[in-house]
Amino acid sequence: MIHLKEALIVEGKYDKIKLSSITDALIITTDGFSVFKNKEKLALIKSLAESCGVIILTDSDSAGFKIRNYIRGCTQKGKVINIYIPEIFGKEKRKAVPSKEGKLGVEGIRADILRNAFEKSGVILSENEKPKTEWATKIRLFDDGFTGKENSEEKRKKLLRLLSLPSLLSTNSLIEVLNTMFTQEEYENAVKLIDQSHFKLT
């Protein structure tokens, strides 16, 4: 399993599925060109770039480079690492016909080739540098009143605003971001501020 400290940005859900089998990194999909208009997702990517850094791994076709360049242009204040896959012509098993340019996307690249691309970039952590323990869970968010309770929505909005996170983050995405971008202490301090009514939405 490849251990990364940066978040991984890929194009689609099948890329995410493929990479989830070889890395435990936080993986964010651009959903193709949708990221151009999705302000919430772009804000999340910017936040990740400025905190833990992001790795961009898109297809090697013109669309992939267009998405890569757009994200790179929007995250100039953060840490951005580009990893490229080789141009291999072929067709993914799930597709009836090859892509427009005939090149395999990330989902169609063999795992050993993907691992080699990560190794060449120098971003893989050693075994004694594994990412932080996943302390944020759905149960913890429920116990702290951010889900499943009468005032959970309002309290959740306060948490997101206090941590400078997009307001439309799903519960699963919030858990991933908390585990990646924040320490337990930072989270607990935010909870204390909210519970003591020291933080109000504006």
Side-chain angles (χ1 to χ4, degrees):
M1 185 65 69
I2 296 173
H3 303 299
L4 305 170
K5 62 181 178 181
E6 297 87 3
L8 189 55
I9 312 300
V10 299
E11 291 183 50
K13 66 177 182 180
Y14 292 104
D15 299 332
K16 182 175 181 177
I17 291 170
K18 179 62 173 282
L19 287 162
S20 293
S21 68
I22 63 173
T23 178
D24 54 12
L26 169 63
I27 303 176
I28 305 295
T29 61
T30 68
D31 300 319
F33 293 142
S34 296
V35 72
F36 295 175
K37 297 180 179 180
N38 191 330
K39 294 182 180 180
E40 292 292 334
K41 179 160 290 188
L42 190 57
L44 172 58
I45 292 173
K46 288 180 178 178
S47 295
L48 289 168
E50 292 173 14
S51 56
C52 62
V54 297
I55 296 170
I56 304 176
L57 181 58
T58 56
D59 295 349
S60 57
D61 58 10
S62 57
F65 272 84
K66 186 174 182 179
I67 293 169
R68 181 190 295 274
N69 291 334
Y70 179 79
I71 293 174
R72 186 67 188 90
C74 294
T75 54
Q76 294 180 4
K77 293 182 179 180
K79 176 185 177 184
V80 178
I81 299 171
N82 284 291
I83 293 182
Y84 300 90
I85 58 173
E87 289 190 345
I88 300 176
F89 290 86
K91 179 182 72 68
E92 286 82 4
K93 292 181 179 180
R94 69 178 181 86
K95 295 181 179 178
V97 295
S99 64
K100 183 178 180 181
E101 297 178 24
K103 302 172 185 177
L104 289 177
V106 170
E107 65 167 290
I109 300 297
R110 295 201 320 263
D112 61 313
I113 296 176
L114 290 171
R115 173 177 282 277
N116 185 54
F118 281 105
E119 289 175 346
K120 285 183 176 180
S121 72
V123 298
I124 298 178
L125 297 176
S126 63
E127 285 299 313
N128 60 354
E129 294 180 301
K130 289 183 179 180
K132 296 179 290 186
T133 303
E134 294 187 356
W135 53 268
T137 63
K138 287 185 178 181
I139 293 176
R140 181 157 193 175
L141 291 183
F142 174 80
D143 289 342
D144 289 336
F146 295 111
T147 63
K149 298 181 180 178
E150 187 175 346
N151 65 336
S152 290
E153 183 177 357
E154 181 73 7
K155 191 172 182 180
R156 179 190 174 92
K157 287 181 179 179
K158 289 182 178 181
L159 177 66
L160 293 171
R161 179 69 64 83
L162 187 58
L163 297 180
S164 299
L165 294 173
S167 62
L168 297 180
L169 274 185
S170 67
T171 299
N172 288 336
S173 294
L174 175 58
I175 291 170
E176 290 179 332
V177 170
L178 287 173
N179 283 319
T180 304
M181 295 174 59
F182 300 93
T183 64
Q184 291 190 61
E185 183 179 4
E186 288 171 328
Y187 168 80
E188 289 167 358
N189 287 338
V191 173
K192 287 179 182 177
L193 283 175
I194 294 170
D195 289 342
Q196 295 170 358
S197 299
H198 290 167
F199 182 80
K200 297 181 179 180
L201 287 174
T202 55

